[in-house]
C-alpha cells in the first residue's frame, strides 16, 4: 500500500481504494508515460508526483532488425536511460526503480517502439520466428536487469492483415516470457484505419491492457483545424472520437477491463483559426505542440465544448489550441467508470500541470470518487 505520508489525511480513503483494501469502489488504473527526453527539461523521476499513478510506462526502448530490444549501452538514449547521474544513481531507469519502495503498488513498465523510428523494425521482427525469439529474450533480460515489472508493445501499427497476424504471434510469444505477475501491455492508435488489421479479441487474450491513444484526431497532417482529443463526435460532423474508438474495440470482443483510454497532456495548435473546421496558416509551439502546463496561452481565452467534451483556447498567439482540461478529463473519467473500462493513461506525465489543473490528479479522483 502507498505510504500514508504521500497522501493528505483527506485522501486516505482514496489511497485505501488504490491499494485494494476497500471493496466500496471498483479499482481503476491511472497510468502515465514518461518519455526519457524529459530528463533534459529538469524532470527527473524524483520530481514527479507519482501518488496518483498506478503504472509508469518508460518510453522508449527500440528494436533492432534482428529483434534485439536495445540493451546495455544501446537503449534509445543510453545516457538518459542508464548513465546520467539522476537522483543519486545512474540513469532514469534505476532512478524510477529506487522509488518503488515508496510506492509499493506502482508498476514500472518498459515501453518498446513508439512513432517513427521506434516502430520501423516491428513488422520484419514479428514476421520472423527467430527474431521474435530474440525480441522476447532481450526484453526479458532488460526487465530483469533493471527491476521492471513488464513491457508495453507500442507498434504504431500493423499495416495489413499479415502484419496483424504477426502482431498476435508476437504477443503470444511475449506472454510466454512474461507470465503473470509480469505486465504485458500494448498501445495502439484510436482510428479504425489503424485497428482494422488486428484481431483485437485474440490480442486481448495475451495482454493485461490495451492502451488506446485517445488523441491526435486532428493535427498538421490535416487540411482543417479540429479537436484532437474529443470524447464524442459532434452531431454536425463525423470522424474518430474516444467514444467511437472504445465502441469499435469493445465491438471486437475485448473485455472492457482490458481497455485504458488515453488522455493527452499537450495541446495541438492551428495558427490563423479560432475554431474547428477551418483552414489554418500553420502550427505554433514546438512542432505544433504545447505542453498542457503551458495552456491556456498567456492572453488567450479558454473555452469548453460540453457537447463533445473538448477544450481549447484562442489567442496568445497559438491560434486555436485544442487540449484537455480537468473539466474534460472528469467527463472522460466518468465515461470510463460508466462503461466499466480499465482506466485512463496519460501521454505524458511531464506535460501535466500541478495543483487544481492537474489532469492526472483529476482523473484519479474522478475514477475513485465515492
Amino acid at each position: 500500500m502507498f505510504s500514508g505520508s504521500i497522501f493528505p489525511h483527506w485522501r486516505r480513503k482514496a489511497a485505501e481504494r488504490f491499494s485494494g483494501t476497500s471493496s466500496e469502489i471498483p479499482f481503476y488504473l491511472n497510468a502515465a508515460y514518461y518519455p526519457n527526453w524529459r530528463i533534459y527539461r529538469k524532470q527527473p523521476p524524483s520530481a514527479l508526483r507519482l501518488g496518483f499513478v498506478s503504472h509508469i510506462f518508460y518510453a522508449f526502448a527500440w528494436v533492432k532488425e534482428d529483434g534485439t530490444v536495445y540493451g546495455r549501452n544501446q537503449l534509445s538514449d543510453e545516457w538518459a536511460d542508464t548513465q546520467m547521474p539522476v537522483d543519486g544513481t545512474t540513469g532514469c531507469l534505476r532512478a524510477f526503480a529506487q522509488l518503488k519502495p515508496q510506492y509499493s503498488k506502482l508498476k514500472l513498465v518498459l515501453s518498446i517502439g513508439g512513432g517513427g523510428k521506434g516502430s520501423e523494425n516491428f513488422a520484419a521482427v514479428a514476421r520472423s520466428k527467430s527474431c521474435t525469439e530474440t525480441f522476447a529474450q532481450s526484453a526479458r533480460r532488460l526487465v530483469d536487469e533493471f527491476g521492471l515489472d513488464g513491457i508495453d508493445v507500442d507498434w504504431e501499427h500493423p499495416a495489413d492483415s499479415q502484419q496483424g497476424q504477426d502482431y498476435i504471434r508476437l504477443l503470444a510469444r511475449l506472454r510466454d516470457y512474461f507470465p503473470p505477475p509480469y505486465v504485458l501491455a500494448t498501445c495502439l492508435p484510436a482510428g479504425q484505419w489503424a485497428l482494422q488489421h488486428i484481431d483485437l479479441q485474440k490480442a486481448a487474450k495475451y495482454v493485461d491492457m490495451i492502451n488506446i491513444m485517445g488523441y491526435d484526431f486532428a493535427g498538421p497532417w490535416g487540411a482543417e483545424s479540429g479537436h484532437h482529443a474529443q470524447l464524442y463526435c459532434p452531431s454536425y460532423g463525423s470522424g474518430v472520437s474516444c467514444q467511437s474508438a472504445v465502441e469499435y474495440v469493445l465491438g471486437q470482443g475485448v473485455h472492457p477491463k482490458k481497455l485504458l483510454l488515453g488522455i493527452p497532456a499537450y495541446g495541438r495548435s492551428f495558427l490563423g483559426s479560432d475554431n474547428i473546421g477551418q483552414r489554418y496558416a500553420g502550427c505554433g509551439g514546438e512542432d505544433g505542440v504545447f505542453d498542457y502546463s503551458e495552456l491556456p496561452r498567456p492572453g488567450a481565452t479558454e473555452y469548453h465544448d460540453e457537447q463533445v467534451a473538448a477544450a481549447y483556447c484562442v489567442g496568445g498567439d497559438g491560434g486555436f489550441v485544442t487540449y484537455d482540461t480537468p473539466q474534460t478529463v472528469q467527463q472522460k473519467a466518468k465515461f470510463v467508470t460508466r462503461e466499466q473500462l480499465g482506466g485512463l493513461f496519460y501521454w505524458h506525465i511531464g506535460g501535466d500541470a500541478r495543483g487544481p489543473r492537474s489532469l492526472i490528479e483529476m482523473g484519479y479522483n474522478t475514477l475513485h470518487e465515492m
Side-chain angles (χ1 to χ4, degrees), residues 101-275:
Q102 299 177 45
Y103 306 90
S104 61
K105 293 295 180 180
L106 179 69
K107 301 295 185 183
L108 181 56
V109 179
L110 181 65
S111 189
I112 304 170
K117 183 177 180 180
S119 287
E120 65 183 10
N121 290 327
F122 264 117
V125 168
R127 190 79 187 103
S128 163
K129 184 176 180 180
S130 62
C131 291
T132 294
E133 201 70 13
T134 299
F135 182 102
Q137 291 173 356
S138 58
R140 176 62 187 267
R141 282 196 299 270
L142 270 177
V143 165
D144 290 345
E145 177 180 356
F146 291 100
L148 311 181
D149 295 292
I151 64 169
D152 166 42
V153 178
D154 195 340
W155 177 356
E156 299 181 17
H157 52 88
D160 54 41
S161 59
Q162 181 62 64
Q163 290 185 17
Q165 294 171 29
D166 295 339
Y167 168 79
I168 299 298
R169 283 193 291 269
L170 175 65
L171 294 180
R173 192 62 181 130
L174 288 171
R175 185 83 272 183
D176 291 338
Y177 276 82
F178 293 94
Y182 284 104
V183 174
L184 179 57
T186 191
C187 189
L188 293 166
Q192 185 174 340
W193 57 271
L195 301 173
Q196 61 184 331
H197 302 299
I198 303 170
D199 187 329
L200 292 168
Q201 186 175 34
K202 285 185 178 179
K205 291 180 180 179
Y206 300 112
V207 299
D208 300 296
M209 61 194 78
I210 298 176
N211 298 343
I212 293 294
M213 295 183 277
Y215 42 82
D216 288 348
F217 304 154
W221 51 86
E224 296 181 341
S225 59
H227 294 308
H228 94 100
Q230 59 193 6
L231 176 56
Y232 306 111
C233 288
S235 59
Y236 48 84
S238 62
V240 68
S241 67
C242 297
Q243 181 190 39
S244 69
V246 168
E247 287 180 347
Y248 178 80
V249 175
L250 297 184
Q252 301 302 303
V254 175
H255 193 284
K257 280 298 180 185
K258 295 267 186 167
L259 187 60
L260 270 62
L261 179 62
I263 302 284
Y266 64 94
R268 287 202 170 275
S269 165
F270 299 87
L271 293 172
S273 61
D274 60 11
N275 212 317

